[in-house]
Amino acid sequence: MSRIGKKPVEIPDKVEVKIEDNLVTAKGPLGTLSVQIRPEVILKLEGKNILVDITNPKDRKIRAYHGLSRTLINNIVVGVSQGFTKHLDIVGVGYRAQLDGRNLNLQLGYSHPVIIEPPPGIEISLESNTKIAVTGADKKLVGDIAAEIRDKRPPEVYKGKGIRYRGEQIRRKAGKTGKK
């Protein structure tokens, strides 16, 4: 049995959850999200908790879905109540970001600006011209957009210039030793 799968998913007061044929739908102040859970997983709604169980604990493939299903349900419940945020930092001389309406305009040392258009449900904000925050209710979508932004100029290993997640450690390489 999965230790994560055994924990109940607590539902906050401002969130409504419906379970119909293993389709879990959560509705809250930040929107509505739903996730389809595999048929081998049993879901029970008891009061303000969702309990996750599996049909056959002996089958290794089915056991693998226990913790995953619980985490997917928890992510949509937390997403519609609190939301998720990823922070990115831009490091490098002349590298900067600005907002054009909803679009993110990045100057990353290329001959052209890089424009990122966020999908519906995702909000991009700037704390300064080198600090970006990606916010939304869907954890996967927030992570995908943050990864897309980071991929436009990933940190390089010699000087550390580029876009990185806040708190990310970049392992630096030693440069050439210029002996003559």
Side-chain angles (χ1 to χ4, degrees):
M1 294 284 275
S2 167
R3 279 180 277 169
I4 293 173
K6 287 181 192 176
K7 293 180 187 177
V9 177
E10 296 179 18
I11 304 169
D13 293 331
K14 51 193 170 185
V15 177
E16 289 180 32
V17 174
K18 280 196 263 181
I19 300 172
E20 295 174 355
D21 299 328
N22 281 13
L23 177 70
V24 181
T25 305
K27 185 177 182 182
L30 297 180
T32 303
L33 292 175
S34 60
V35 63
Q36 181 70 41
I37 303 297
R38 297 202 37 115
E40 296 92 357
V41 177
I42 302 165
L43 302 173
K44 295 177 200 151
L45 185 59
E46 291 184 2
K48 285 290 188 183
N49 291 326
I50 299 174
L51 301 176
V52 180
D53 201 6
I54 51 178
T55 55
N56 184 5
K58 302 266 189 240
D59 189 353
R60 192 177 165 112
K61 286 185 179 180
I62 294 174
R63 261 195 341 246
Y65 297 122
H66 195 196
L68 171 70
S69 300
R70 190 250 179 224
T71 302
L72 291 174
I73 295 167
N74 189 54
N75 284 346
I76 66 167
V77 169
V78 170
V80 297
S81 62
Q82 300 169 5
F84 294 99
T85 303
K86 282 274 195 184
H87 296 279
L88 297 125
D89 296 329
I90 302 174
V91 178
V93 176
Y95 293 4
R96 63 185 181 277
Q98 61 189 33
L99 285 175
D100 293 334
R102 279 181 39 89
N103 297 341
L104 180 66
N105 185 346
L106 298 168
Q107 302 291 328
L108 299 173
Y110 298 123
S111 61
H112 59 282
V114 177
I115 309 274
I116 307 265
E117 296 179 23
I122 297 295
E123 200 61 44
I124 297 177
S125 60
L126 296 178
E127 298 165 20
S128 70
N129 63 352
T130 59
K131 298 191 183 310
I132 304 167
V134 181
T135 309
D138 189 354
K139 186 174 187 177
K140 180 186 178 310
L141 197 55
V142 168
D144 287 348
I145 297 302
E148 181 184 337
I149 293 170
R150 183 183 183 276
D151 283 346
K152 298 302 178 185
R153 180 69 85 169
E156 55 108 345
V157 294
Y158 293 104
K159 293 184 180 178
K161 294 167 38 171
I163 301 174
R164 65 178 74 167
Y165 297 115
R166 187 161 300 160
E168 180 182 7
Q169 297 292 319
I170 305 299
R171 296 192 60 191
R172 305 273 299 269
K173 286 186 176 179
K176 291 181 182 178
T177 57
K179 291 186 179 182
K180 292 186 177 185

